[in-house]
Amino acid sequence: MTWFYWPAIWLAIFFLIILWRLFYRSFPQIGVLDLAVIPTFVFAHLTWGAAFYRSDLLAVLVVWLLIGAIWSSIALWHRQRLAFFCRRYWQATGIIGIILLLVLCVLAVILKR
């Protein structure tokens, strides 16, 4: 498969998740960003590997976990609840994954010319 199939598949799945959230409201506290984290990183890994023949996603995740450790110590120092921090960190991870996937797609288009 060429590299652009993976983001296209994820965009289709992401669109279906949004439609499911729009029409089916059994879990109102779970948002789209909560559901998008793991598939986004899987498709980012597959896109990175297919477009550039290697994936450094593990290094990106290690750096993000180090940032999360620093962030958690600051948040817990300021008496923030652990559940609130974990939810915000999970949503921030989803945003980072989506931005990473978009950057990978743009870089692959630009560098593959």
Side-chain angles (χ1 to χ4, degrees):
M1 288 182 116
T2 56
W3 67 269
F4 52 82
Y5 285 123
W6 300 113
I9 291 170
W10 175 231
L11 283 176
I13 292 171
F14 197 64
F15 182 70
L16 290 175
I17 289 172
I18 291 171
L19 285 177
W20 176 73
R21 291 282 302 142
L22 184 65
F23 294 118
Y24 185 71
R25 294 278 184 185
S26 67
F27 299 108
Q29 69 273 16
I30 296 175
V32 174
L33 281 178
D34 297 327
L35 297 173
V37 175
I38 294 174
T40 299
F41 277 101
V42 168
F43 284 112
H45 172 69
L46 294 174
T47 303
W48 203 334
F52 300 111
Y53 306 113
R54 70 175 233 194
S55 178
D56 295 327
L57 189 66
L58 184 60
V60 170
L61 287 176
V62 167
V63 169
W64 180 242
L65 287 174
L66 289 174
I67 291 170
I70 294 168
W71 185 17
S72 70
S73 63
I74 292 170
L76 294 177
W77 181 264
H78 291 291
R79 308 269 185 216
Q80 193 175 27
R81 292 178 312 169
L82 184 63
F84 180 76
F85 166 76
C86 289
R87 174 100 190 256
R88 292 292 177 222
Y89 185 72
W90 186 257
Q91 289 175 342
T93 304
I95 291 171
I96 293 293
I98 291 168
I99 290 171
L100 178 69
L101 191 59
L102 289 172
V103 168
L104 282 173
C105 291
V106 169
L107 282 176
V109 167
I110 291 172
L111 295 177
K112 290 293 181 172
R113 284 187 174 184

